[in-house]
Amino acid sequence: MRFIPLITTLLLLIGIAANPALAENQGNVLLKSTAEVEMTTKDPDGKEIIVRKPATKVLPDTEVIYTNTFSNIGAEPAENIRLDNPIPEHTVYVAGSAFGEDTEITFSVDGGQLFENPKNLTVPGPDGKPRPATAADYTHIRWVRAAPLQPGEEAHAGFSVQLE
């Protein structure tokens, strides 16, 4: 069995999100990224529950949940917050898993050059003609927050991938 450490991916997410060209208005916004897996365990009464644990090493076909938490640490509302996140190498985006409070979520299939609603994305098919993009074609996700993030407020945006 092959284990793949996700620490590098997590650092990549933090580095990209801290890039001013990709995370606008970051001066007052603190970003924290986590990678987790869900595991089934039992509570003290023996009932099965699902808990999230840090994804330090995962096996192929494991689903990993990435959550970006952004907090306004300034004294003024933070506006025009945009977060671009690459789909980590050796993973495939899980269709429909992207989430974000008060955000518009778009995707890229060209390495983050163009972001669109999924229904507008195409990629070349085997015959060279455009075909509709699928979740497996996505290379990046973008969240644009519609509402200002108030001082002291925290919001979350994230997605899931499956390790190849």
Side-chain angles (χ1 to χ4, degrees), residues 6 35-38 52-53 55 58-66 92-95 97 159-163:
L6 290 182
E36 299 174 303
V37 293
E38 289 186 340
R52 288 189 181 179
K53 303 265 183 175
V58 295
L59 293 170
D61 297 323
T62 300
E63 188 169 309
V64 179
I65 304 154
Y66 287 93
V92 175
Y93 170 74
V94 175
S97 67
F159 63 101
S160 295
V161 296
Q162 186 165 4
L163 191 64

Side-chain angles (χ1 to χ4, degrees), residues 22 31 34 37 40 57-59 76 105 110 128 134 136 140 150-151:
L22 299 178
L31 179 70
T34 59
V37 293
T40 303
K57 292 183 180 180
V58 295
L59 293 170
E76 299 293 325
I105 303 171
D110 63 2
T134 67
H140 290 72
Q150 298 302 316

Side-chain angles (χ1 to χ4, degrees), residues 5-131:
L6 290 182
I7 300 301
T8 303
T9 302
L10 183 57
L11 293 175
L12 176 63
L13 287 173
I14 294 167
I16 287 179
N19 181 332
L22 299 178
E24 294 180 11
N25 199 1
Q26 60 148 46
N28 294 329
V29 178
L30 177 66
L31 179 70
K32 177 184 173 192
S33 296
T34 59
E36 299 174 303
V37 293
E38 289 186 340
M39 302 179 82
T40 303
T41 189
K42 293 187 178 187
D43 69 10
D45 297 327
K47 180 181 174 187
E48 287 191 353
I49 57 171
I50 296 174
V51 296
R52 288 189 181 179
K53 303 265 183 175
T56 54
K57 292 183 180 180
V58 295
L59 293 170
D61 297 323
T62 300
E63 188 169 309
V64 179
I65 304 154
Y66 287 93
T67 304
N68 301 301
T69 301
F70 44 104
S71 308
N72 183 347
I73 58 173
E76 299 293 325
E79 298 180 326
N80 304 317
I81 297 173
R82 184 185 91 198
L83 175 63
D84 291 358
N85 222 144
I87 305 298
E89 285 187 41
H90 309 294
T91 69
V92 175
Y93 170 74
V94 175
S97 67
F99 63 90
E101 302 151 7
D102 294 321
T103 63
E104 176 188 7
I105 303 171
T106 54
F107 299 86
S108 176
V109 293
D110 63 2
Q113 299 299 308
L114 174 70
F115 287 84
E116 285 282 346
N117 184 299
K119 67 181 180 180
N120 298 331
L121 292 171
T122 61
V123 294
D127 59 1
K129 295 180 182 176
R131 67 162 175 80

Side-chain angles (χ1 to χ4, degrees), residues 139-161:
T139 62
H140 290 72
I141 305 171
R142 173 177 285 169
W143 295 265
V144 177
R145 186 162 164 94
L149 191 64
Q150 298 302 316
E153 187 178 7
E154 177 179 280
H156 307 277
F159 63 101
S160 295
V161 296

